[in-house]
Amino acid sequence: GGGVVGGEVEEAEVDPGRGIAAAWPPDGAAADLGAAGRAGRRGQPYNRVMEDWLSCERPRRVVLASNNPGKLREFAALFGPLGMELVPQAQLGVDEAEEPHATFIENALAKARHASRRTGLPALADDSGLCVAALRDAPGVYSARYAQLAGGARSDEANNALLLRELAGRRDRRARYVAVLALVRHPDDPQPLIGQGELHGEILDAPRGTGGFGYDPLFWLPAMQRSVAELDPQEKNRIS
C-alpha cells in the first residue's frame, strides 16, 4: 500500500462485499505516524469506522475536497445513508489544494486540511490512482495528470490513450486501483480517519464499457469478466 509520514501502514484488503477497507498503523505505532493518525479499529471497513464516528459526533455538514463530478456522485451515494451532508468545496468558494506529495495518504490529508481550514467545517478528501505493475506503479499519484505531464491534454481520453501506448507489446497487464480517504474534524485534527483500499485487475488492450470515469474502461476484472466501466454504479461501489 501507500506510505505515510514517518511510519508504515499495514496493507488493507478489500472484500468485494464490504467495500473500502480501513488501514491502520501497527499496534503501538501511532506516535510514529504523526499526521496520518489512526484510522480506527483493526479489520473494520472504512464506512463502519465512519458510521461509528457519526454516531458519536453527528456532523451535519462536511465539505468534500473534490471538484471531480464522478467522485461527487459516488461519494454522495456512499455517505448519504450515514446522514452526512457532503458539500462540494467549489460551492463554498474553496480552491483546489496542491498535491505535491509522493503518496496517496499525504495528498488526501493535504486536501482535507486545506478544505477544512478554508471553511471551518469537517472535511473529507480522497486521493486515488491507478498503479500498473509493468510501469513501476505509474501513473500512481499522477493518474489524473498522466497525459498532461507528458505534454498532452488533461482528460480521461488522453490518459487512457497514453496508458495503452506505454503498455503496447507488454505481456504483464497487472494493475490495481488504490483509493485513500481522509476525514478531518478540524484543520489541525491530530487523529484523522484514514481509509485505504485496493482493487486488483488487468489493463485491457482497448476500452470497454461506457460507465464510470477515469481509467474504468481499461480496467478489467477477471473474476467478473467485465471492465469497471461495464459495472452498474451499485456494483462498482460495492467492490471499490
Side-chain angles (χ1 to χ4, degrees):
V4 297
V5 180
E8 296 181 352
V9 166
E10 292 184 349
E11 185 171 341
E13 297 296 330
V14 176
D15 182 326
R18 298 171 65 199
I20 297 174
W24 286 266
D27 290 337
D32 296 330
L33 277 169
R38 298 185 68 86
R41 296 194 293 276
R42 185 180 302 275
Q44 283 194 313
Y46 183 86
N47 55 359
R48 179 61 58 80
V49 176
M50 179 72 72
E51 188 173 5
D52 289 348
W53 181 66
L54 284 165
S55 67
C56 294
E57 306 197 21
R58 296 293 181 190
R60 296 304 180 189
R61 302 180 78 210
V62 174
V63 58
L64 180 61
S66 176
N67 296 323
N68 183 309
K71 290 181 180 179
L72 295 178
R73 288 193 301 271
E74 292 185 354
F75 285 143
L78 286 168
F79 293 105
L82 299 180
M84 180 188 295
E85 179 192 358
L86 289 180
V87 183
Q89 61 180 7
Q91 290 186 12
L92 301 175
V94 179
D95 57 331
E96 291 193 353
E98 296 294 325
E99 301 178 48
H101 304 293
T103 69
F104 296 110
I105 289 178
E106 289 170 294
N107 283 329
L109 276 170
K111 290 187 281 188
R113 294 191 190 282
H114 172 80
S116 182
R117 186 166 288 110
R118 294 296 180 89
T119 64
L121 294 170
L124 175 69
D126 91 299
D127 198 43
S128 58
L130 178 71
C131 297
V132 179
L135 303 181
R136 300 183 63 185
D137 288 339
V141 296
Y142 306 108
S143 292
R145 297 173 287 153
Y146 189 38
Q148 183 183 35
L149 293 173
R154 180 166 180 166
S155 70
D156 291 345
E157 293 77 12
N159 290 338
N160 286 332
L162 176 58
L163 180 63
L164 290 178
R165 290 197 299 272
E166 292 293 326
L167 286 176
R170 295 179 185 261
R171 297 181 61 185
D172 185 0
R173 314 291 287 196
R174 292 173 300 145
R176 68 188 188 278
Y177 269 134
V178 178
V180 172
L181 299 181
L183 187 143
V184 297
R185 287 152 285 204
H186 54 81
D188 300 312
D189 190 346
Q191 288 188 299
L193 292 176
I194 304 293
Q196 177 168 307
E198 297 183 359
L199 181 65
H200 292 256
E202 300 171 359
I203 301 300
L204 293 164
D205 292 321
R208 287 185 51 164
T210 58
F213 60 95
Y215 298 93
D216 288 353
L218 294 179
F219 198 91
W220 180 249
L221 301 168
M224 304 183 75
Q225 288 297 292
R226 282 180 286 174
S227 75
V228 175
E230 293 175 309
L231 303 178
D232 63 43
Q234 293 76 24
E235 287 179 302
K236 182 179 178 182
N237 286 342
R238 181 174 62 83
I239 68 169
S240 67

